[in-house]
Amino acid sequence: MKKTPPVVGAGVTRPSDDKLVQMYREMVLCRALDERVWMLNRQGKAAIVASAQGHEAAQIGSVQALQVGKDHFYIYYRDLAVLISLGLTPTEIMLGFTAKAGEPLAGARQFPTHGASKTLNLVNLSNVVGTQIPQAVGSALASKMRGEDAVTIVYFGDGASSVGDCHEAMNFAAIHKLPVIFLCENNGYAISVPLSKQMAVDGIVSRADGYGIPGVVVDGTDIMAVYEATSEAATRARDGRGPTIVETMVERYLPHTSDDDDSLYREQEDLEEARKRDPVRILQEQLIGAGLLPGDTDSVIRNEAKRVINEATDYVDAAPYPEATDFLDHVYS
Amino acid sequence: MKKTPPVVGAGVTRPSDDKLVQMYREMVLCRALDERVWMLNRQGKAAIVASAQGHEAAQIGSVQALQVGKDHFYIYYRDLAVLISLGLTPTEIMLGFTAKAGEPLAGARQFPTHGASKTLNLVNLSNVVGTQIPQAVGSALASKMRGEDAVTIVYFGDGASSVGDCHEAMNFAAIHKLPVIFLCENNGYAISVPLSKQMAVDGIVSRADGYGIPGVVVDGTDIMAVYEATSEAATRARDGRGPTIVETMVERYLPHTSDDDDSLYREQEDLEEARKRDPVRILQEQLIGAGLLPGDTDSVIRNEAKRVINEATDYVDAAPYPEATDFLDHVYS
Amino acid sequence: MTVQTVIEAVRDGMQEEMRRDQSVFIMGEDIGARGGVFLATDGFVGEFGEDRVIDTPLAESSIAGIALGAAMNGMRPIAEIEFADFIWPTVNQIVGEAARARYGTLGQMCVPMVLRAPQGGGVRGGLYHSQSVEAIFAHTPGLKVVTPSTPYDAKGLLKSAIRDDDPVVFLEYKRTYRLVRGEVPDEEYTVPLGVADVKLPGDDITVITYGLMVHHCIEAARIIGNEGVSVEVIDLRTIRPLDNDVILASVEKTGKVLIVHEDTKLLGVGGEVSAIIAEHAFDYLDAPIVRLAGPEIPAMPFSPTLEAAFLIDTEKVSAAIRNLARY
Amino acid sequence: MTVQTVIEAVRDGMQEEMRRDQSVFIMGEDIGARGGVFLATDGFVGEFGEDRVIDTPLAESSIAGIALGAAMNGMRPIAEIEFADFIWPTVNQIVGEAARARYGTLGQMCVPMVLRAPQGGGVRGGLYHSQSVEAIFAHTPGLKVVTPSTPYDAKGLLKSAIRDDDPVVFLEYKRTYRLVRGEVPDEEYTVPLGVADVKLPGDDITVITYGLMVHHCIEAARIIGNEGVSVEVIDLRTIRPLDNDVILASVEKTGKVLIVHEDTKLLGVGGEVSAIIAEHAFDYLDAPIVRLAGPEIPAMPFSPTLEAAFLIDTEKVSAAIRNLARY
Ligand SMILES: Cc1ncc(C[n+]2csc(CCOP(=O)(O)OP(=O)(O)O)c2C)c(N)n1
Ligand SMILES: Cc1ncc(C[n+]2csc(CCOP(=O)(O)OP(=O)(O)O)c2C)c(N)n1
Ligand SMILES: [Mg+2]
Ligand SMILES: [Mg+2]
């Protein structure tokens, strides 16, 4: 897969040093959480796991370029790091993976990370790939109608870009210049189907012209590039200049989900190449280079992450499954 | 609406003089038929009419660039001139408009021009806009699988281009380099909705890059331009070089259908501008200029058309409606 | 009271709600300058502006999906599908997503949207402008499905649907639009969802129906009434939730049931109504439960002779009632 | 005879037909190198090549539409939808188009395609990997809908579906894939579409069911049999067309009917079966027609406690049979 260098507009503020370290903290925490839920899956405690490993920079870099509490987030199953960056705790998230009582997004009625959070303006209604794209456009339409300057960002994979809904939604958003950011996490695979069998081009950004909207490709393992592209898209959206496609080129480190066996279709070499683009390591090196992880800061961050994850694991281990007493509720208002 | 000048590749044979006159004859016949069925509608004899007036050059020019009997034609409700050019008689077509017994495409079970002809490889399954596009791609896939060099052409309007199926179909055809021609009859309206509310661009050809396929815009009132663009696309398809988008810029002279009232949404000026681009008159002038309609040839052609249409009218007037005895047939094989 | 057609009542219902509540807006094809292909939104763009009366591209799946997203973000969209025959692309967003939004978020999201579509035949619409689609949506928990028959009901139910916090599929019989007239109050009113209406009381036979067929059933009931058999006509009005109480009370009184709908028979609404009766009023039944429904062909053919063969009319209903009376 | 699982039988059925007929091909997501998410096409791309085993983009509507077009142009596509939950985008091409292609062209076009999808719950699939979708397709004249329960039926019915000239929606219960084993002949055979199967003969009560539930019903029938009540278990196998003969013959014998399905109740297959019985075997009935079906929630929730509350098991079926026996 050809990786296009980041094309970022001028005039966007780079994240502050503090923010960079905060993003690193979130990345480390997310990676630790991700590894833990895979372990829980192998132990039979988590029925299904989809991993954000390799996608963390794209997810955290974009969230941090937006205004949590005001903007709207339409995510998909791979967006674990979006949840972390929005402020969900590892315990809350792990209640989802273990389907335990008190799970905040869906009461454990749904797959992990699915459901919604009203306070966070977070929506992940379903597992049906691509359906969130028109929904996000509708959210942006609502914000615009009320004259709010909230932005809606919608996350989706390269696979989702093939769905008719993606086309219809982008076209509508373009016509009405809606404040929406189409953030594609292009990892080159829809489960086993490689990009070359999903499209005859290298990525989706070349579609932007067909809708008459701007599109940008960024290295999705470079959190700075993602942050900047998203910031610029957000500014454009808030200024009434309409939607942007931000295509982030990322890697999927692991099988599609814990149910998948990627050795059936993925070359070992391809995987090894992919692992060289580890967003956590890349940011770590950038921060060390910039002197932003002085002394034992890095190991403090990592130990703290481990501690939180351990605590969360203990909590969810002890938590009960939900009672089935009210499983018929909330069908109608 | 901006009209892009025809962009046609080199090396395509122009239609012979005979063929040009033949195309003119078909155009004149189609226009006469079209006018007649509107009259029948106003007399209460035809329940619904959708007109090809203004689209004739795009339809006939493309059919004549293909091989009738071998290639596959997926059309939509506005493609009256395709039917004429494929060789359906005015009587056969008028049996459709009057819903009379013996109607060949659907036994008068469907709206006029709908149904299929097995011998002509003609399919127009439904009124549901856009559904024919993936079906046509499937037809092209079948031809390719069997190693035939048949081409499938699919006709659709600018309105249909907004449908998700259009996106999915074009993308699939591009990936598999299928022998299919996407012929868009862009008349600037989906019923009352102008192009500016359908897309943020001037037409659909700018999408071609996003699929990695060639696209060409032609003046759809210029039959030569359409013929050439379609010929080139057909050659490409037969050579295994895949699909092409041919966007023909045409005009819709009349209301959407006989049920529509275009004065509600269309400026008189817009209509007058449109009528200046009459494909029948344009070809007439071209042929006269080239000396291809010597003497009274033109009036002979026009009188012959009138005679045929009169005969057809008499025939369908006298024809009975189908008996309802077998209206339950052909649900299953 | 004013005498109106169904389409006028639909238009007034939407207009009143749009005046009453800024969060109500409407989106669909040709609803702007054109005023809708049936003129349901005639004059709306002038009164409410292009922001609240949105002419969309021809793309039904996204009409539904965008309305759903707007509904989850505080608006009350009315999404118009030009003909019910073109509603299938919305199934993914409506059946798959909207219906489960509340359930799947433990009540955090609600979807106050209405999906309106004209349906049914008798207008020479052929295979693709005559379809009845209620059964497919009515199978889905989480949705509400409404099928009005009169101007009074159409307006009152539509206003309730717009104010409802759940997704409502609102199916108007296009044949009734200009054909059926009726009195509509000048003052504000609503008709509650989920409540069936006894359109004609009777004692001997219960006829259960909805939509256009209500009118044929009432006519047939009057004819049969003159023959000495007293027929009760129930208009379901809402297909989901079904009003079991009204259905069962009538059956317990009459003991004989005819169910009539224009939609095809197998797995149609009539099957469900029959099953409810066979389970809960079995001991009251004096005869088989009979269904009169569209024949098992994909939809209504175009030619007038063929369309007539498909359609249920007063005569067919009368014949079915007479048969049942004789049992 | 060989003992196989359902998924093995499905795989063998497709493989045999692809060997037998060059016009059979398969398209869907992850069916190539991955061999399908349930390994239904394991090894196929090696044997038949990428031209006949097509990994498609993630785009269900076009999977259906392209298969339809290929079918009209002489091929026999098998289109796989990865999970039935993702089948909604195909409704437009399948219900709207494929089902009417023959009718709407006066028999000129035929659509020999199969749309396969794994459906149903009991696999911790949550709201979006557990859906039952048979009712929506079974409502549509022009389609055939098949729901096998055993390896023998799965293979035999799938082979018939592939050879059939009409569009067939073939719904496999994913819970049965590896759970249910059974004997499958080594020699060539097919099972005809449209024929129900008496899976267990009995005299006192008729249980009508299909798919995964067949196994719970058989188990329950055996338990109840030991309690002195003889239960007949009918596996519908094909939901459209329904086999009225087998259904009615059994009811005329037993006079008591329980209908069981995993799908939700309202407007489900059970409603139709009940209505057929209430119309055509009314005089033979000794008790209300009872349905045991999924509760009226949009789909199966994820957490194990919640999923168990949704699912029908042997115990629930036994309880329903005992109730009915007491009537
Ligand atoms: C509509 C639909 N079709 C199929 C699936 C099964 N499925 C789940 S994820 C997936 C691949 C999605 O790929 P992509 O969008 O690139 O996201 P990624 O997992 O690579 O991040 C598929 C086919 C689904 N969930 N929804
Ligand atoms: C899926 C669908 N939605 C809506 C309609 C109603 N309708 C019929 S034609 C039409 C406009 C189509 O415009 P276009 O594709 O540009 O074709 P044109 O009539 O302009 O040639 C609409 C909205 C339909 N037939 N199918
Ligand atoms: Mg991907
Ligand atoms: Mg147009």
Side-chain angles (χ1 to χ4, degrees):
Chain A
M1 199 190 349
K2 211 167 57 189
K3 301 292 174 181
T4 319
V7 184
V8 180
V12 175
T13 333
R14 299 206 146 232
S16 68
D17 288 353
D18 278 2
K19 193 152 195 169
L20 272 173
V21 175
Q22 173 56 23
M23 294 199 282
Y24 179 65
R25 208 173 275 123
E26 290 175 1
M27 255 198 203
V28 168
L29 181 62
C30 185
R31 180 65 63 88
L33 172 62
D34 200 311
E35 288 168 352
R36 180 62 53 89
V37 291
W38 279 82
M39 225 173 75
L40 292 179
N41 173 268
R42 296 321 181 205
Q43 295 170 353
K45 292 178 180 171
I48 180 128
V49 173
S51 180
Q53 290 183 46
H55 290 229
E56 294 99 333
Q59 294 174 15
I60 294 172
S62 54
V63 172
Q64 289 303 319
L66 296 167
Q67 298 177 28
V68 177
K70 169 177 170 181
D71 294 331
H72 295 260
F73 296 81
Y74 278 74
I75 66 166
Y76 77 113
Y77 51 81
R78 201 172 295 293
D79 288 324
L80 195 58
V82 172
L83 296 187
I84 289 286
S85 199
L86 286 176
L88 264 84
T89 66
T91 303
E92 288 174 319
I93 294 170
M94 280 171 83
L95 287 171
F97 281 98
T98 52
K100 293 292 180 80
E103 190 281 320
L105 302 178
R109 290 172 169 194
Q110 291 233 49
F111 270 16
T113 78
H114 287 73
S117 165
K118 193 127 186 103
T119 47
L120 291 171
N121 292 332
L122 168 74
V123 181
N124 186 17
L125 281 193
S126 87
N127 295 93
V128 188
V129 168
T131 48
Q132 75 276 28
I133 312 177
Q135 291 165 20
V137 167
S139 165
L141 177 66
S143 296
K144 189 185 174 201
M145 279 180 149
R146 287 194 301 263
E148 297 162 3
D149 76 336
V151 168
T152 299
I153 186 167
V154 56
Y155 296 83
F156 57 97
D158 45 301
S161 78
S162 302
V163 171
D165 265 8
C166 180
H167 165 65
E168 297 188 4
M170 286 182 175
N171 189 43
F172 187 92
I175 296 165
H176 294 277
K177 288 196 174 301
L178 297 182
V180 59
I181 302 171
F182 298 105
L183 193 135
C184 180
E185 302 178 35
N186 185 340
N187 61 15
Y189 285 93
I191 307 188
S192 72
V193 182
L195 210 62
S196 61
K197 289 184 176 163
Q198 296 185 58
M199 55 188 81
V201 289
D202 288 334
I204 71 156
V205 79
S206 53
R207 294 192 202 154
D209 276 352
Y211 299 118
I213 59 174
V216 54
V217 190
V218 298
D219 177 346
T221 63
D222 178 349
I223 203 162
M224 227 99 77
V226 175
Y227 179 87
E228 288 168 355
T230 312
S231 299
E232 207 194 349
T235 303
R236 183 177 296 123
R238 289 190 223 282
D239 288 355
R241 286 178 291 135
T244 307
I245 297 176
V246 178
E247 182 168 18
T248 65
M249 304 312 263
V250 296
E251 302 289 352
R252 197 190 82 199
Y253 277 20
L254 295 171
H256 174 67
T257 65
S258 50
D259 280 352
D260 185 30
D261 172 4
D262 60 357
S263 72
L264 290 170
Y265 57 84
R266 200 167 178 182
E267 299 291 336
Q268 196 52 38
E269 269 169 46
D270 178 29
L271 256 178
E272 274 160 23
E273 274 306 302
R275 294 240 171 86
K276 289 187 187 146
R277 298 178 67 230
D278 180 349
V280 183
R281 199 188 28 74
I282 290 170
L283 183 56
Q284 180 195 40
E285 284 169 7
Q286 285 173 341
L287 294 185
I288 289 172
L292 293 174
L293 293 177
D296 62 354
T297 312
D298 195 16
S299 54
V300 168
I301 288 173
R302 285 170 187 269
N303 287 335
E304 173 62 9
K306 203 172 291 172
R307 192 189 58 76
V308 172
I309 301 299
N310 283 338
E311 270 183 31
T313 310
D314 292 344
Y315 183 90
V316 300
D317 253 346
Y321 288 115
E323 298 275 356
T325 41
D326 55 4
F327 87 111
L328 300 177
D329 293 358
H330 297 299
V331 177
Y332 293 104
S333 51
Chain B
M1 198 190 347
K2 211 167 53 187
K3 301 290 171 183
T4 319
V7 184
V8 180
V12 174
T13 335
R14 299 208 145 229
S16 68
D17 289 353
D18 278 2
K19 192 151 194 169
L20 272 173
V21 176
Q22 173 56 24
M23 295 198 282
Y24 180 64
R25 208 174 274 122
E26 290 175 359
M27 251 195 205
V28 168
L29 181 63
C30 185
R31 180 64 63 89
L33 171 63
D34 201 310
E35 289 168 351
R36 181 62 54 88
V37 291
W38 278 83
M39 226 173 73
L40 292 178
N41 172 268
R42 296 321 182 203
Q43 295 170 353
K45 292 177 179 173
I48 181 129
V49 173
S51 178
Q53 291 183 46
H55 289 228
E56 294 98 335
Q59 295 174 16
I60 295 172
S62 55
V63 172
Q64 290 303 319
L66 296 168
Q67 299 178 26
V68 177
K70 169 178 169 178
D71 294 332
H72 295 259
F73 296 81
Y74 278 73
I75 67 166
Y76 78 114
Y77 51 82
R78 202 172 294 293
D79 288 324
L80 195 57
V82 173
L83 297 187
I84 289 287
S85 200
L86 286 175
L88 264 83
T89 66
T91 302
E92 289 175 318
I93 294 170
M94 280 170 84
L95 286 170
F97 281 98
T98 52
K100 293 293 180 78
E103 190 281 320
L105 303 177
R109 290 173 169 193
Q110 291 234 49
F111 269 17
T113 76
H114 287 74
S117 165
K118 193 127 189 106
T119 48
L120 291 171
N121 293 330
L122 169 74
V123 181
N124 187 15
L125 280 194
S126 87
N127 294 92
V128 187
V129 168
T131 48
Q132 74 276 26
I133 311 177
Q135 292 164 20
V137 167
S139 165
L141 177 67
S143 296
K144 189 186 175 198
M145 278 180 151
R146 287 194 302 264
E148 298 162 3
D149 76 337
V151 168
T152 299
I153 185 167
V154 56
Y155 296 84
F156 57 97
D158 44 301
S161 78
S162 302
V163 171
D165 265 7
C166 179
H167 165 64
E168 297 187 5
M170 286 183 175
N171 190 43
F172 187 92
I175 296 165
H176 294 277
K177 287 194 176 300
L178 297 182
V180 59
I181 301 171
F182 298 106
L183 192 135
C184 180
E185 302 178 34
N186 185 340
N187 61 14
Y189 286 94
I191 307 188
S192 72
V193 182
L195 209 63
S196 62
K197 288 183 178 165
Q198 297 185 57
M199 54 188 82
V201 289
D202 288 334
I204 72 156
V205 79
S206 54
R207 293 192 203 154
D209 275 352
Y211 299 118
I213 59 175
V216 54
V217 189
V218 298
D219 177 346
T221 63
D222 179 349
I223 204 163
M224 228 97 79
V226 175
Y227 180 87
E228 289 169 355
T230 312
S231 300
E232 206 194 348
T235 304
R236 182 177 298 124
R238 289 190 223 284
D239 287 355
R241 286 179 291 134
T244 306
I245 297 176
V246 178
E247 182 168 19
T248 66
M249 304 311 263
V250 295
E251 302 289 352
R252 196 189 84 199
Y253 278 21
L254 295 171
H256 173 68
T257 65
S258 51
D259 281 351
D260 186 29
D261 172 4
D262 61 358
S263 72
L264 290 170
Y265 57 84
R266 200 166 177 182
E267 299 291 336
Q268 195 51 38
E269 270 168 46
D270 178 29
L271 256 179
E272 274 158 25
E273 274 306 303
R275 294 238 172 86
K276 290 187 187 145
R277 298 179 67 229
D278 180 349
V280 183
R281 199 186 30 72
I282 290 170
L283 183 55
Q284 180 194 38
E285 284 169 6
Q286 285 173 341
L287 294 186
I288 290 173
L292 292 174
L293 294 178
D296 62 354
T297 313
D298 195 16
S299 53
V300 169
I301 288 174
R302 284 167 187 270
N303 287 334
E304 172 63 9
K306 203 172 288 173
R307 192 189 58 75
V308 172
I309 300 299
N310 283 337
E311 269 183 32
T313 309
D314 292 344
Y315 182 91
V316 300
D317 253 346
Y321 287 115
E323 299 273 358
T325 40
D326 54 5
F327 86 111
L328 300 177
D329 292 359
H330 298 300
V331 177
Y332 293 104
S333 53
Chain C
M1 288 282 186
T2 313
V3 171
Q4 287 195 319
T5 60
V6 170
I7 191 74
E8 286 165 350
V10 164
R11 182 163 54 225
D12 283 5
M14 288 194 286
Q15 194 177 41
E16 287 178 18
E17 293 304 302
M18 286 182 75
R19 286 177 182 164
R20 183 179 167 272
D21 182 349
Q22 279 292 319
S23 67
V24 179
F25 73 97
I26 172 159
M27 58 188 293
E29 296 156 17
D30 304 297
I31 64 165
R34 179 70 179 77
V37 290
F38 293 102
L39 299 177
T41 54
D42 193 21
F44 278 33
V45 78
E47 176 170 357
F48 302 110
E50 291 200 342
D51 282 354
R52 290 180 69 200
V53 183
I54 304 174
D55 260 340
T56 65
L58 199 164
E60 280 76 10
S61 182
S62 61
I63 291 176
I66 291 167
L68 166 54
M72 290 192 291
N73 189 358
M75 304 300 287
R76 294 189 169 272
I78 305 170
E80 177 175 310
I81 301 299
E82 205 153 64
F83 285 82
D85 310 70
F86 315 138
I87 211 168
W88 303 135
T90 73
V91 170
N92 194 35
Q93 289 285 354
I94 299 299
V95 169
E97 305 277 312
R100 304 183 203 180
R102 175 175 286 274
Y103 189 81
T105 65
L106 207 67
Q108 288 183 84
M109 286 294 143
C110 78
V111 182
M113 71 176 277
V114 178
L115 189 72
R116 280 183 54 239
Q119 77 163 3
V123 299
R124 295 291 311 283
L127 292 191
Y128 290 96
H129 291 81
S130 304
Q131 187 74 25
S132 296
V133 301
E134 68 274 20
I136 281 171
F137 293 100
H139 178 56
T140 306
L143 298 182
K144 292 173 179 168
V145 181
V146 181
T147 53
S149 65
T150 65
Y152 178 90
D153 286 347
K155 182 174 176 183
L157 289 166
L158 183 50
K159 285 166 70 86
S160 293
I162 293 168
R163 295 183 196 182
D164 200 280
D165 277 341
D166 295 319
V168 180
V169 179
F170 198 90
L171 301 168
E172 302 153 15
Y173 282 81
K174 64 175 92 73
R175 177 75 175 127
T176 66
Y177 272 163
R178 278 164 234 289
L179 185 75
V180 176
R181 307 182 143 266
E183 293 204 325
V184 176
D186 297 319
E187 58 281 3
E188 162 87 19
Y189 75 101
T190 61
V191 174
L193 306 186
V195 180
D197 188 36
V198 178
K199 280 276 186 305
L200 197 77
D203 296 315
D204 302 331
I205 287 183
T206 299
V207 175
I208 302 173
T209 186
Y210 54 93
L212 173 66
M213 287 300 131
V214 167
H215 305 285
H216 291 302
C217 290
I218 291 175
E219 245 180 85
R222 294 230 163 91
I223 292 169
I224 305 290
N226 292 334
E227 299 170 12
V229 178
S230 165
V231 180
E232 177 147 305
V233 178
I234 293 177
D235 179 358
L236 291 174
R237 294 203 292 205
T238 301
I239 301 300
R240 174 177 277 271
L242 278 170
D243 186 345
N244 288 14
D245 294 345
V246 168
I247 294 171
L248 295 175
S250 180
V251 175
E252 289 174 13
K253 179 170 62 175
T254 65
K256 289 185 174 182
V257 190
L258 171 69
I259 306 162
V260 181
H261 54 64
E262 179 178 324
D263 191 16
T264 54
K265 194 169 185 175
L266 257 83
L267 278 123
V269 172
E272 181 57 35
V273 172
S274 171
I276 287 170
I277 295 168
E279 184 153 2
H280 298 294
F282 178 73
D283 290 334
Y284 296 90
L285 284 173
D286 299 323
I289 305 169
V290 181
R291 288 180 292 166
L292 179 63
E296 288 293 313
I297 59 179
M300 212 162 296
F302 176 59
S303 195
T305 44
L306 310 181
E307 189 184 55
F310 185 106
L311 274 174
I312 292 167
D313 55 15
T314 303
E315 221 170 299
K316 291 180 189 171
V317 177
S318 306
I321 297 177
R322 282 192 200 100
N323 257 342
L324 193 55
R326 274 197 297 271
Y327 188 89
Chain D
M1 289 284 185
T2 313
V3 171
Q4 287 196 320
T5 59
V6 170
I7 191 74
E8 286 164 349
V10 165
R11 182 162 54 224
D12 283 5
M14 289 194 284
Q15 193 176 43
E16 287 178 18
E17 293 305 301
M18 287 183 75
R19 286 178 182 163
R20 182 179 168 271
D21 181 350
Q22 280 292 320
S23 68
V24 179
F25 74 97
I26 173 160
M27 59 188 290
E29 296 156 16
D30 304 297
I31 65 167
R34 178 71 180 77
V37 289
F38 293 102
L39 298 177
T41 54
D42 193 20
F44 278 33
V45 77
E47 175 170 358
F48 303 109
E50 291 200 343
D51 281 355
R52 290 180 69 200
V53 182
I54 304 174
D55 260 339
T56 65
L58 198 164
E60 281 76 10
S61 181
S62 61
I63 291 175
I66 291 166
L68 166 54
M72 290 193 291
N73 189 358
M75 304 301 287
R76 294 191 170 270
I78 305 170
E80 177 174 309
I81 302 299
E82 205 152 67
F83 286 81
D85 310 71
F86 314 138
I87 211 169
W88 303 134
T90 73
V91 170
N92 194 35
Q93 289 285 352
I94 299 299
V95 168
E97 305 277 312
R100 305 183 202 180
R102 176 177 284 275
Y103 188 81
T105 65
L106 208 68
Q108 289 183 82
M109 286 293 142
C110 78
V111 182
M113 71 176 277
V114 178
L115 189 72
R116 279 184 55 237
Q119 78 162 1
V123 298
R124 296 291 311 283
L127 293 190
Y128 290 96
H129 292 82
S130 303
Q131 188 73 28
S132 296
V133 302
E134 67 274 20
I136 280 171
F137 293 100
H139 179 55
T140 306
L143 298 181
K144 293 174 179 169
V145 181
V146 181
T147 52
S149 65
T150 66
Y152 178 89
D153 286 348
K155 183 174 177 184
L157 289 165
L158 184 51
K159 286 166 69 88
S160 293
I162 294 168
R163 295 182 196 183
D164 200 279
D165 278 341
D166 296 318
V168 180
V169 178
F170 198 91
L171 301 168
E172 302 152 15
Y173 281 81
K174 64 177 91 73
R175 176 77 176 127
T176 66
Y177 272 162
R178 280 164 231 291
L179 185 75
V180 176
R181 310 183 140 265
E183 293 205 326
V184 176
D186 296 319
E187 58 280 5
E188 163 87 20
Y189 75 101
T190 60
V191 174
L193 307 186
V195 181
D197 188 36
V198 178
K199 281 276 183 310
L200 197 77
D203 296 313
D204 301 331
I205 286 181
T206 299
V207 175
I208 302 174
T209 186
Y210 54 93
L212 172 67
M213 287 300 131
V214 167
H215 305 285
H216 291 301
C217 290
I218 292 175
E219 246 179 85
R222 295 229 164 92
I223 292 170
I224 305 289
N226 293 335
E227 299 169 11
V229 178
S230 165
V231 179
E232 177 147 305
V233 177
I234 294 178
D235 179 357
L236 291 174
R237 293 203 294 206
T238 302
I239 301 301
R240 175 178 276 272
L242 278 171
D243 186 345
N244 288 12
D245 294 345
V246 168
I247 294 170
L248 295 175
S250 180
V251 175
E252 289 173 13
K253 179 170 64 175
T254 65
K256 289 186 175 182
V257 190
L258 171 69
I259 306 163
V260 181
H261 54 65
E262 180 179 324
D263 191 16
T264 54
K265 193 169 187 176
L266 257 81
L267 277 122
V269 172
E272 181 57 35
V273 172
S274 171
I276 288 170
I277 295 168
E279 185 153 3
H280 299 293
F282 178 72
D283 290 334
Y284 297 89
L285 284 174
D286 299 323
I289 305 170
V290 180
R291 288 180 291 167
L292 180 63
E296 289 293 314
I297 60 178
M300 212 161 296
F302 177 59
S303 195
T305 43
L306 309 181
E307 188 183 55
F310 184 107
L311 274 174
I312 291 167
D313 56 15
T314 303
E315 219 170 300
K316 291 179 189 171
V317 177
S318 306
I321 299 177
R322 281 193 200 100
N323 257 342
L324 192 54
R326 273 198 297 272
Y327 187 88

